[in-house]
Amino acid sequence: MIGIGVIGYGYWGPNLVRNFAEAQGARVVSVCDSRAERLAPVSKRYPGVKTTTSADEVLNDPAVDAVIIATPVATHHALVKQALQNNRHVLVTKPLTDSVVDAQELVELAAKKNRVLMLDHTFLYKGSVRTIKDMVQAGKLGNLYYYDSVRVNLGLFQHDVNVLWDLAVHDLSIMDYILGVQPREVSAAGIAHVAGRPEDIAYLTCFFEQNLIAHLHVNWLAPVKVRKTLIGGNKQMIVYDDLEPDAPLKIYDKGIDISSSEGIYQALVSYRTGDMWAPQVDMREALSAEAAHFVDCVTHNKRPLTDGESGVRMVRILEAANESLAAHGKPVKL
Ligand SMILES: NC(=O)c1ccc[n+]([C@@H]2O[C@H](COP(=O)([O-])OP(=O)(O)OC[C@H]3O[C@@H](n4cnc5c(N)ncnc54)[C@H](O)[C@@H]3O)[C@@H](O)[C@H]2O)c1
């Protein structure tokens, strides 16, 4: 049984506690939040779990083998570092840190201490995203043309990070997993509508080698919630709607065929409009699969799918995006 300590019981922490309380091979030992009023519901729902307002108490508890950190990003570096120094395995919410330098330091420390450092890049544990990955890997889409996502809703405004660091990080992690290649350049434009707060709407473009492009649109000021991604290849195209309960994936046998009898200047484009189908996907809760994976990695000393390196890759893109945002969309090389 792996003893789990959780730091941060705000909006997201309760989802992690619930899933780890049900995970095989793990036991939630203690839950910490610096706001004492957050702890009353923990004692009521999980009577055997210790509660505290002191993160130090969790990080020094001999019954805690692994720590889950679900606090705002500005606190991640110090908390993860202390946990690793105390020889605890760590699962941390996204993004890993607010700087590449700090993120790399944590990856190196985890390696030195031989501890698991895993990122809560939740979407990679969803059946729909796994199915897309399998299709792309099997070459079903052919050569990829684009990755195009929209993730918008009303709120939740964050104090310490802009909308890219809050919402686009999900799309970046999905894109990283599915495409398996890194962008060479990014360009971001965005704007803040509330004085003193970070950008609440942003458009991030990622340029890759060859003819692959990605565009991510994120917004905290949208009247409706949209979670849609289009992935286009020369053979097939996918529309992924994360809010579609029964059939989140639709595969389109649509595209273009280019034929030329007299060289590239005379190329002819013809349109192909074949069938659409919706594959069956595993609809289990992502956090349940994620909790099982973390327990497996800690128990068997395995490298997680969402390892510390994946966290560094996301922070590297986000840092470059911030640089581009400040320069009104000027492309920044990675
Ligand atoms: N994967 C997802 O879908 C998802 C969704 C939402 C949030 N998140 C991530 O979860 C993390 C937390 O976000 P949230 O929306 O729950 O924020 P939140 O502000 O609602 O909750 C954070 C909690 O941490 C507590 N806290 C802060 N510093 C602390 C410290 N040093 N010691 C103990 N407690 C401390 C706060 O009191 C607060 O209750 C962020 O990294 C966020 O990006 C992930």
Side-chain angles (χ1 to χ4, degrees), residues 26-201:
R27 184 174 70 92
V28 179
V29 172
S30 62
V31 172
C32 160
D33 199 293
S34 45
R35 294 183 293 156
E37 70 271 20
R38 291 296 306 151
L39 299 172
V42 180
S43 304
K44 197 164 175 205
R45 184 156 180 190
Y46 309 100
V49 172
K50 291 183 265 185
T51 58
T52 173
T53 54
S54 156
D56 277 340
E57 215 172 286
V58 174
L59 296 169
N60 291 308
D61 186 340
V64 169
D65 307 298
V67 182
I68 297 173
I69 294 167
T71 55
V73 62
T75 65
H76 287 179
H77 177 252
L79 289 170
V80 175
K81 188 171 175 178
Q82 199 186 336
L84 292 171
Q85 279 169 338
N86 288 9
N87 294 311
R88 302 305 194 270
H89 302 279
V90 177
L91 172 65
V92 57
T93 52
K94 52 77 188 168
L96 175 51
T97 60
D98 50 18
S99 86
V100 174
V101 171
D102 283 353
Q104 273 168 335
E105 186 196 350
L106 297 178
V107 168
E108 283 160 25
L109 183 58
K112 194 172 137 203
K113 291 282 191 177
N114 194 23
R115 298 291 92 174
V116 171
L117 172 59
M118 177 165 145
L119 265 293
D120 168 31
H121 288 155
T122 319
F123 282 84
L124 271 55
Y125 298 94
K126 281 204 154 199
S128 39
V129 172
R130 293 290 179 95
T131 302
I132 298 174
K133 170 75 178 174
D134 290 346
M135 292 192 67
V136 169
Q137 209 161 27
K140 298 265 170 63
L141 273 68
N143 295 328
L144 293 181
Y145 290 151
Y146 62 83
Y147 182 99
D148 193 330
S149 69
V150 182
R151 186 177 296 271
V152 304
N153 46 258
L154 195 62
L156 300 164
F157 273 72
Q158 305 288 314
H159 301 263
D160 56 343
V161 290
N162 66 34
V163 68
L164 287 171
W165 290 69
D166 179 44
L167 295 184
V169 62
H170 288 305
D171 301 298
L172 289 173
S173 67
I174 299 170
M175 188 177 90
D176 178 72
Y177 175 57
I178 289 172
L179 304 183
V181 286
Q182 290 300 294
R184 58 175 164 76
E185 200 169 62
V186 299
S187 162
I191 195 159
H193 294 90
V194 183
R197 289 290 181 95
E199 290 82 1
D200 44 57
I201 173 164

Side-chain angles (χ1 to χ4, degrees), residues 163-332:
V163 68
L164 287 171
W165 290 69
D166 179 44
L167 295 184
V169 62
H170 288 305
D171 301 298
L172 289 173
S173 67
I174 299 170
M175 188 177 90
D176 178 72
Y177 175 57
I178 289 172
L179 304 183
V181 286
Q182 290 300 294
R184 58 175 164 76
E185 200 169 62
V186 299
S187 162
I191 195 159
H193 294 90
V194 183
R197 289 290 181 95
E199 290 82 1
D200 44 57
I201 173 164
Y203 306 93
L204 170 64
T205 310
C206 300
F207 302 92
F208 295 82
E209 295 302 335
Q210 300 166 336
N211 280 346
L212 174 61
I213 192 166
H215 185 263
L216 285 62
H217 165 197
V218 284
N219 183 353
W220 285 326
L221 280 178
V224 290
K225 185 170 178 173
V226 182
R227 299 281 185 266
K228 246 184 192 170
T229 304
L230 279 72
I231 305 166
N234 68 334
K235 287 190 189 161
Q236 290 192 314
M237 301 189 184
I238 296 181
V239 177
Y240 164 33
D241 186 342
D242 193 52
L243 302 182
E244 226 4 282
D246 299 324
L249 297 184
K250 294 202 171 61
I251 318 298
Y252 290 84
D253 183 12
K254 285 190 178 190
I256 54 167
D257 292 316
I258 301 168
S259 55
S260 167
S261 52
E262 296 166 50
I264 55 167
Y265 300 108
Q266 301 291 322
L268 295 173
V269 174
S270 60
Y271 299 93
R272 199 179 64 252
T273 53
D275 290 342
M276 182 277 284
W277 60 286
Q280 194 68 39
V281 301
D282 184 348
M283 296 300 280
R284 272 177 298 179
E285 188 178 5
L287 281 183
S288 159
E290 183 182 313
H293 183 56
F294 183 64
V295 172
D296 184 39
C297 289
V298 169
T299 310
H300 300 106
N301 197 20
K302 288 184 186 166
R303 178 177 274 272
L305 170 68
T306 48
D307 61 3
E309 296 285 0
S310 71
V312 175
R313 292 198 295 277
M314 300 309 96
V315 177
R316 185 173 291 122
I317 297 174
L318 291 168
E319 213 172 65
N322 267 12
E323 193 183 326
S324 178
L325 262 183
H328 297 286
K330 185 171 169 244
V332 173

